[in-house]
């Protein structure tokens, strides 16, 4: 589905990713774990066409590494960015309509989107209650639901989520991750970026660990969760090392 | 109350509103005050003159064709004066817009000459209300400008393409992540902005004659209208424009016709002293 080889990314003269290789299969949840500043967002933004880079990025057999961002989205590779980025001045429903641009491009009228709206509202009933509210007025959890739903309105062939748990209460996170698993079960592969390693490993089939712009570890999530290095660095099982 | 002054002030004012509204649409879209907006008025007026007087088309059709031409001018302006500098500091873009305004002024002189010209009235004759004699053109200006505003409102608020333009204005990064070609979306905003301002030129021409420098003062008045109405607010720009027109008309008649512009700035200072954010402005508008 998504295949990345030897990806090197730059901000001006600073190299932020030093040769990443990674793949996501057609029905799995793959987690990308790393601490703050490791380069997780840079990786997603490189894939979606927002960071200067070199290397191979193939999506469904097509080389997308030189495509502009909006074309990549129209291929069905949809990113829900860090910080949600709902359109604050549009109401919930309009935010969702805008998401359909990924399928149809710009047009005069939104057309009948009832089927799609029903689909996201059944997944997130709270959004239906908030349907005519301006997006900025939603709570953090609701904004995250809206951001994911907006991507779902675009029929993603692969969904890239950047730290969906950020800033949310534990109960909300639990509910949200249940929905992410459900979305995946309905047939959408997910590349899940998280600082919260425990959570990400518990819902994913495979995982990559990113440290300072390099993948340092990869494998089935079950194995990583019991890996000594992972436990020490990401699961709060710190030993004497720091003392 | 002098009805005649009221109508003439209101109708020139609503043309300032069209300029101000065009500026605000661009400001909301890319965060830049377009100081070449007044030149869109002048250029639109000349296009209207070309269709109406040189090609002998009826004024209604000329206004529509002129507006369409201005759509193209808006796109070219965006592509040449804004897009190459979109990552630069805003002062660079402001200077570039000022350059474009000189190019538009001199371009108009090269194409249509330096002699002031005019176009047909959209509506001939006068209406008598009591003792007041009101030009039908003034009424036509108000009606047409109002229709343009309603159309723009419907386009921006009630259509998908309007949502796309708003979404792009609010968050370009996210817009591109949903599959919106940002350059197209911004181009449409510039096109609409130039179209509504350009129509104003064709409406104003029968009253004041067209010359290639008229855009500069009109642009300055529209900017005052924006500040009075509240930076970035569309309703504010409309109301601000009308206020400027009325101040100009009544001030010109009762106080001094040489100091009209001064009077506008006096009103502007009074509004800013009482309400620093302008009449319709929110305290500080967050651009998410
Ligand atoms: N726009 C930018 N310009 C320059 N450097 C950046 C920019 N964004 C991120 N970086 C740098 O790239 C590195 C990776 O950042 P990021 O991808 O945001 O990490 P993460 O998402 O894992 O927290 C950091 O060192 C960060 O300072
Ligand atoms: Mg990040």
């Amino acid at each position: 589905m998504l295949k990345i080889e030897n990806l090197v990314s730059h901000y001006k003269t600073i190299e932020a990713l030093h040769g990443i290789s990674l793949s996501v299969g057609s029905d799995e949840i793959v987690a990308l774990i790393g601490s703050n500043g490791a380069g997780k967002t840079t990786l997603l933004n490189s894939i979606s066409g927002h960071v200067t880079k070199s290397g191979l990025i193939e999506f469904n057999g097509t080389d997308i590494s030189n495509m502009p961002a909006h074309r990549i989205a129209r291929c069905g590779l949809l990113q829900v960015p860090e910080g949600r980025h709902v359109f604050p001045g549009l109401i919930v429903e309009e935010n969702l309509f805008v998401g359909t641009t990924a399928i149809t491009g710009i047009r005069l009228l939104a057309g009948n989107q009832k089927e799609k709206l029903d689909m996201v509202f059944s997944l997130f009933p709270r959004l239906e209650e908030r349907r005519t509210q301006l997006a900025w007025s939603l709570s953090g959890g609701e904004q995250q639901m809206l951001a994911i739903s907006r991507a779902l309105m675009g029929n993603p062939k692969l969904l890239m989520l950047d730290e969906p748990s950020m800033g949310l209460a534990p109960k909300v996170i639990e509910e949200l991750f249940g929905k992410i698993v459900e979305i995946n079960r309905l047939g959408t592969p997910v590349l899940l970026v998280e600082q919260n390693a425990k959570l990400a490993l518990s819902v994913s089939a495979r995982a990559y660990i990113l440290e300072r712009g390099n993948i340092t570890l990869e494998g089935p999530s079950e194995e990583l969760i019991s890996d000594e290095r992972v436990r020490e660095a990401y699961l709060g099982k710190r030993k004497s090392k720091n003392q | 109350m002098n009805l005649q002054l009221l109508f003439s002030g209101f109708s020139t004012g609503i043309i300032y509103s069209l300029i101000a509204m065009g500026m605000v649409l661009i400001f909301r879209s890319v965060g830049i005050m377009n100081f070449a907006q007044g030149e869109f008025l002048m250029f639109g007026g000349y296009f209207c003159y070309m269709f109406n007087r040189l090609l002998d088309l009826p004024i209604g059709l000329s206004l529509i064709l002129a507006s369409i031409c201005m759509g193209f001018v808006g796109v070219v302006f965006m592509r040449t004066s804004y897009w190459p500098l979109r990552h630069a500091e805003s002062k660079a873009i402001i200077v570039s817009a000022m350059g474009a305004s000189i190019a538009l002024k001199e371009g108009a002189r090269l194409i249509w000459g330096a002699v002031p010209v005019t176009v047909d009235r959209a509506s001939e004759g006068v209406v008598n209300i009591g003792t007041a004699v009101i030009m039908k053109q003034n009424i036509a200006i108000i009606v047409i400008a109002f229709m343009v505003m309603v159309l723009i409102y419907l386009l921006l608020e009630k259509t998908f393409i309007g949502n796309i333009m708003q979404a792009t204005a609010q968050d370009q990064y996210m817009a591109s992540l949903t599959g919106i070609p940002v350059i197209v979306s911004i181009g449409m905003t510039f096109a609409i902005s130039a179209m509504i301002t350009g129509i104003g030129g064709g409406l104003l021409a029968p009253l004041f004659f067209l010359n290639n420098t008229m855009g500069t003062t009109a642009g300055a008045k529209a900017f005052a209208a924006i500040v009075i109405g509240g930076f970035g607010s569309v309703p504010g720009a409309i109301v601000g424009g009308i206020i400027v027109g009325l101040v100009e008309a009544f001030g010109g008649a009762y106080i001094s016709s040489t100091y009209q512009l001064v009077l506008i700035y006096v009103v502007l200072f009074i509004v800013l002293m009482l309400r620093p954010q302008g009449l319709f402005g929110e305290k500080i508008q967050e651009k998410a």
Side-chain angles (χ1 to χ4, degrees), chain A residues 45 48 50 69-70 73-74 78-79 81 85 87-90 94 97-98 100-102 105-110 150, chain B residues 155 157-164 166-168 170-171 173-182 184-185 188 288:
Chain A
N45 279 338
S48 64
H50 287 96
H70 71 273
R74 298 223 29 206
L78 296 181
Q79 177 182 0
H85 287 257
F87 297 114
L90 299 183
E94 290 168 339
F97 285 158
V98 171
T100 63
T101 315
I106 297 181
R107 60 205 186 280
L108 182 62
L109 296 171
R150 177 181 53 194
Chain B
L155 179 71
E157 297 295 335
K158 303 292 170 199
T159 68
F160 183 73
I161 212 169
N163 284 340
I164 294 286
Q166 288 190 54
T168 309
Q170 289 164 25
D171 194 335
Y173 164 67
M174 190 61 230
S176 67
L177 284 180
T178 57
I180 297 170
V182 169
V184 174
S185 180
M188 290 190 303

Side-chain angles (χ1 to χ4, degrees), chain A residues 70-116:
Chain A
H70 71 273
R71 292 271 316 280
I72 294 174
R74 298 223 29 206
C75 290
L77 182 47
L78 296 181
Q79 177 182 0
V80 180
E82 182 177 316
R84 291 136 204 161
H85 287 257
V86 295
F87 297 114
L90 299 183
I91 62 172
V92 166
E93 192 175 70
E94 290 168 339
N95 267 274
L96 293 171
F97 285 158
V98 171
T100 63
T101 315
I103 311 172
T104 50
I106 297 181
R107 60 205 186 280
L108 182 62
L109 296 171
N112 185 0
Q113 304 293 345
K114 187 168 181 319
E115 226 168 274
K116 285 223 171 53

Side-chain angles (χ1 to χ4, degrees), chain B residues 201-223:
Chain B
L203 291 172
L204 194 63
L207 302 180
F208 287 94
F209 282 90
L210 287 166
N211 65 71
N212 69 323
T213 55
M214 69 185 285
T216 312
T217 19
K221 289 173 189 169
F223 184 69

Side-chain angles (χ1 to χ4, degrees), chain B residues 43-44 47-52 55-72 195 198-199:
Chain B
F43 230 74
F47 270 126
C48 193
Y49 158 74
M50 182 178 85
F51 290 118
N52 180 232
L55 301 175
D56 271 330
L57 298 174
I59 181 66
L61 181 62
S62 301
L63 282 168
I64 292 170
L65 291 175
S67 184
I68 292 170
C69 290
M70 286 313 293
F72 287 103
M195 286 174 85
I199 269 199

Side-chain angles (χ1 to χ4, degrees), chain A residues 11 14 16 34-43 82 162-163 195:
Chain A
Y11 291 111
I14 306 161
S35 50
N36 197 16
K40 306 181 294 300
T41 300
T42 302
L43 177 55
E82 182 177 316
D162 197 345
E163 303 213 35
Q195 272 193 65

Side-chain angles (χ1 to χ4, degrees), chain A:
Chain A
M1 176 113 279
L2 177 69
K3 192 170 92 182
I4 297 170
E5 269 166 26
N6 199 26
L7 176 74
V8 176
S9 296
H10 291 273
Y11 291 111
K12 301 237 168 76
T13 56
I14 306 161
E15 191 176 295
L17 298 178
H18 315 298
I20 304 280
S21 297
L22 170 153
S23 68
V24 182
S26 59
D27 53 8
E28 51 182 358
I29 298 184
V30 172
L32 178 73
I33 294 158
S35 50
N36 197 16
K40 306 181 294 300
T41 300
T42 302
L43 177 55
L44 292 197
N45 279 338
S46 303
I47 299 169
S48 64
H50 287 96
V51 175
T52 336
K53 78 258 172 181
S54 63
L56 175 88
I57 308 178
E58 230 179 62
F59 185 59
N60 274 336
T62 315
D63 177 13
I64 59 164
S65 55
N66 292 315
M67 276 189 195
H70 71 273
R71 292 271 316 280
I72 294 174
R74 298 223 29 206
C75 290
L77 182 47
L78 296 181
Q79 177 182 0
V80 180
E82 182 177 316
R84 291 136 204 161
H85 287 257
V86 295
F87 297 114
L90 299 183
I91 62 172
V92 166
E93 192 175 70
E94 290 168 339
N95 267 274
L96 293 171
F97 285 158
V98 171
T100 63
T101 315
I103 311 172
T104 50
I106 297 181
R107 60 205 186 280
L108 182 62
L109 296 171
N112 185 0
Q113 304 293 345
K114 187 168 181 319
E115 226 168 274
K116 285 223 171 53
L117 285 177
D118 286 348
M119 181 263 297
V120 297
F121 287 155
S122 71
L123 203 57
F124 299 110
R126 202 107 51 90
L127 290 182
E128 185 160 25
E129 292 163 29
R130 303 269 185 270
R131 193 170 179 155
T132 57
Q133 237 171 280
L134 288 169
W136 64 262
S137 70
L138 302 182
S139 72
E142 289 164 349
Q143 288 194 9
Q144 188 63 60
M145 293 173 197
L146 177 57
I148 292 175
S149 300
R150 177 181 53 194
L152 291 177
M153 293 292 286
N155 282 351
K157 296 200 179 85
L158 172 66
L159 198 55
M160 303 196 290
L161 305 178
D162 197 345
E163 303 213 35
S165 74
M166 189 192 268
L168 303 183
K171 261 196 81 172
V172 181
I173 295 178
E174 196 180 316
E175 186 192 335
L176 192 69
F177 273 66
K179 303 294 183 179
I180 293 172
V181 171
E182 196 176 331
I183 290 165
N184 174 250
R185 257 198 230 112
L186 294 172
T188 310
V190 177
L191 177 56
L192 173 65
V193 162
E194 265 299 336
Q195 272 193 65
N196 188 334
K198 195 171 161 199
L199 197 62
L201 289 172
S202 69
V203 296
S204 57
R206 294 189 301 120
Y208 294 83
I209 310 279
L210 186 64
E211 282 175 351
R212 285 192 219 93
N214 289 300
I215 303 264
T216 51
L217 209 59
E218 62 178 281
S221 302
E222 278 176 13
E223 285 173 26
L224 290 184
I225 217 163
S226 50
D227 186 287
E228 206 45 45
R229 286 165 294 179
V230 176
R231 291 169 73 88
E232 244 184 65
Y234 299 100
L235 300 176
K237 305 274 156 56
R238 254 164 239 276
K239 299 224 174 107
S240 53
K241 206 168 147 194
N242 292 345
Q243 270 120 45

